[in-house]
Amino acid sequence: MRQLLAFARKQTISPVQMDLNDTVSGLLKMLQRLIGENIDLSWHPGGSLWPVKIDPSQIDQIMANLAVNARDAISDVGKMTIETRNVVIGQDHCRVYPYFVSGEYVMLAVSDNGCGMEKEVQKNLFEPFYTTKETGKGTGLGLSTIYGIVKQNNGFINVYSEPGQGSAFKIYLPRHETEESNPGASAKSHEQMPTGSETILIVEDEAAIVHLTRGMLEKLGYSVITARKPEDALQLAASHEGRIDLLITDVVMPEMNGRDLSARLSVNNPALQTLFMSGYTADLIAHHGVLDKGVQFIEKPFSHKDLAAKVRQALGQQNQQGGH
């Protein structure tokens, strides 16, 4: 009943300033009991986390609901990962994800390597009483409760999932401005970003992300070619005159994963470097065996500054000079 009440926003809430790392740490034992012994629970707290202001019982609710969701998505043994970190959302993200609001947030991500979801399911995910579970196996209120809580606290939520590849739920809660908060901290984002003039091939099936990434890279001086499918990328690379210095590819794609694409392109272009990107967290991607140690990886959504730095880092493996 409490869930229904919370959903109808009748429950009195008393938000307090908190460090999300402390709160989540205190819930780990309870979460492990909820998901059972055959699911490995992995916790990666972010450093120097900004404070947030929220009712602690709402964090309990969010975490319990996401844990049950992960448990139901995993049929046998599996892995659930919880991560936190500070994130600055820029205007460019808001053009790709209309429900994002620019600002400073603490991100709480809960990922699992379970069955994943079709795009159709993701669209209805937060509707009250929407459920993919059999009758009697849950109300379908869990995710809409989370959505209600996050909205009530001026945050937003993003889900990244592919059938058979697990899911990542990322919750963004606004940074709580305290007396000690340093308003000048975000001014740093106007620092000079590293630029370059190399040729980069982007492979990503979401048109909006291709467009955004291309725009960011062209502003930094790079030449950019794009493909929406791995097969198209192979054809483009074969017919491209001049060399391609860097491949930026989504990790999980329908026809061929990013690693296999990188390997195929490297046959004719041994100097090609690769920067992998995904909406899944690095931990989950590594668990799929897609990322080896030392592989360059950037998590979506990324900022212009992160992309600029990661691209230089990836290209720097190829030649230490380049557009500094």
Side-chain angles (χ1 to χ4, degrees), residues 2 5-13 57-58 61 152:
R2 239 180 77 192
L5 284 172
F7 186 60
R9 305 211 174 154
K10 297 278 192 298
Q11 204 176 24
T12 335
I13 56 158
S57 71
Q58 292 187 317
Q61 264 183 301
Q152 191 175 17

Side-chain angles (χ1 to χ4, degrees), residues 45-317:
S48 314
L49 212 60
W50 294 325
V52 294
K53 193 169 185 182
I54 186 170
D55 184 319
S57 71
Q58 292 187 317
I59 293 293
D60 299 356
Q61 264 183 301
I62 287 175
M63 294 311 296
N65 277 319
L66 285 177
V68 167
N69 211 50
R71 181 193 69 195
D72 292 347
I74 295 169
S75 52
D76 184 20
V77 285
K79 180 171 176 120
M80 170 175 153
T81 305
I82 307 171
E83 291 170 65
T84 54
R85 68 164 183 274
N86 296 334
V87 174
V88 178
I89 298 291
Q91 288 299 342
D92 34 20
H93 295 120
C94 305
R95 286 193 283 275
V96 177
Y97 306 98
Y99 49 90
F100 275 32
V101 181
S102 60
E104 296 181 321
Y105 295 87
V106 174
M107 183 192 78
L108 169 65
V110 177
S111 335
D112 66 74
N113 63 344
C115 57
M117 293 173 278
E118 303 282 352
K119 290 273 180 277
E120 213 32 62
V121 173
Q122 291 176 51
K123 277 191 199 121
N124 301 309
L125 213 49
F126 300 111
E127 304 281 328
F129 307 111
Y130 176 78
T131 179
T132 54
K133 298 170 193 171
E134 314 147 35
T135 318
K137 281 277 179 72
T139 56
L141 266 181
L143 291 173
S144 53
T145 301
I146 294 172
Y147 183 76
I149 292 173
V150 172
K151 276 280 181 241
Q152 191 175 17
N153 288 284
N154 301 317
F156 50 88
I157 182 166
N158 185 35
V159 184
Y160 188 85
S161 186
E162 299 275 351
Q165 303 287 344
S167 304
F169 287 83
K170 295 180 182 176
I171 288 167
Y172 297 86
L173 295 170
R175 172 185 186 171
H176 178 58
E177 291 299 341
T178 57
E179 296 303 314
E180 306 89 76
S181 296
N182 174 8
S186 45
K188 283 191 191 145
S189 57
H190 297 299
E191 289 163 24
Q192 271 306 111
M193 287 188 268
T195 57
S197 54
E198 290 90 342
T199 299
I200 300 178
L201 168 60
I202 303 172
V203 187
E204 154 69 64
D205 55 358
E206 261 188 84
I209 293 176
V210 173
H211 184 71
L212 172 70
T213 312
R214 175 182 205 140
M216 287 178 171
L217 291 170
E218 285 175 342
K219 278 190 194 132
L220 295 167
Y222 297 101
S223 301
V224 183
I225 44 181
T226 63
R228 298 277 297 281
K229 291 194 188 119
E231 285 302 335
D232 298 350
L234 291 168
Q235 285 173 2
L236 258 173
S239 61
H240 180 74
E241 303 213 351
R243 77 181 212 178
I244 297 172
D245 301 284
L246 178 68
L247 165 69
I248 300 183
T249 177
D250 200 7
V251 177
V252 180
M253 294 178 286
E255 306 161 10
M256 181 189 306
N257 73 32
R259 189 173 64 168
D260 294 345
L261 173 63
S262 172
R264 282 187 60 179
L265 286 169
S266 297
V267 173
N268 294 325
N269 185 354
L272 180 73
Q273 296 298 321
T274 303
L275 172 59
F276 292 102
M277 61 178 169
S278 181
Y280 292 118
T281 57
D283 191 68
L284 199 67
I285 289 290
H287 191 70
H288 275 308
V290 179
L291 294 185
D292 302 318
K293 282 269 176 284
V295 165
Q296 299 289 337
F297 175 78
I298 190 167
E299 194 180 311
K300 297 188 277 196
F302 42 77
S303 68
H304 202 167
K305 194 172 146 200
D306 287 348
L307 181 66
K310 283 283 188 190
V311 164
R312 276 300 357 133
Q313 215 178 334
L315 284 164
Q317 293 190 342

